[in-house]
Amino acid sequence: MLRHVDAGSCNACEQELGATVAPQYDLQRFGIDIVASTRHADVLPVTGPVTKRMEAALLAAYAAMPEPRLVAALGDCALGCGVLADSAELAA
């Protein structure tokens, strides 16, 4: 199960993530779905540049997930090399 966190992206990655549960791909048939609570999630996909202001929220979401848990950076911005990334605001 996935619990998506948007850290301030341009929404292109959200559209791609939303398309994965659409009928063309239908990842739900493999047991993969987007859930509303981190307590039901196994993977935390993060989109957008992770800034200092989002760091505490992401850590809280990660802590609320049951073990075993994974974090996946989705898109260039989450990897720190996107056009929306501001080096002065990025979390260390």
Side-chain angles (χ1 to χ4, degrees), residues 43-62:
V43 181
L44 188 71
V46 179
T47 58
V50 178
T51 63
K52 295 172 187 172
R53 296 175 188 168
M54 277 300 293
E55 185 176 15
L58 282 172
L59 290 173
Y62 180 78

Side-chain angles (χ1 to χ4, degrees), residues 21-63:
V21 293
Q24 316 78 301
Y25 299 109
D26 191 23
L27 290 182
Q28 294 167 335
R29 66 186 160 152
F30 299 115
I32 300 171
D33 201 3
I34 299 172
V35 295
S37 173
T38 53
R39 290 186 173 85
H40 301 282
D42 304 309
V43 181
L44 188 71
V46 179
T47 58
V50 178
T51 63
K52 295 172 187 172
R53 296 175 188 168
M54 277 300 293
E55 185 176 15
L58 282 172
L59 290 173
Y62 180 78

Side-chain angles (χ1 to χ4, degrees), residues 8 16 29 45 49 52 65 79:
E16 294 293 329
R29 66 186 160 152
K52 295 172 187 172
M65 293 173 64
L79 294 171

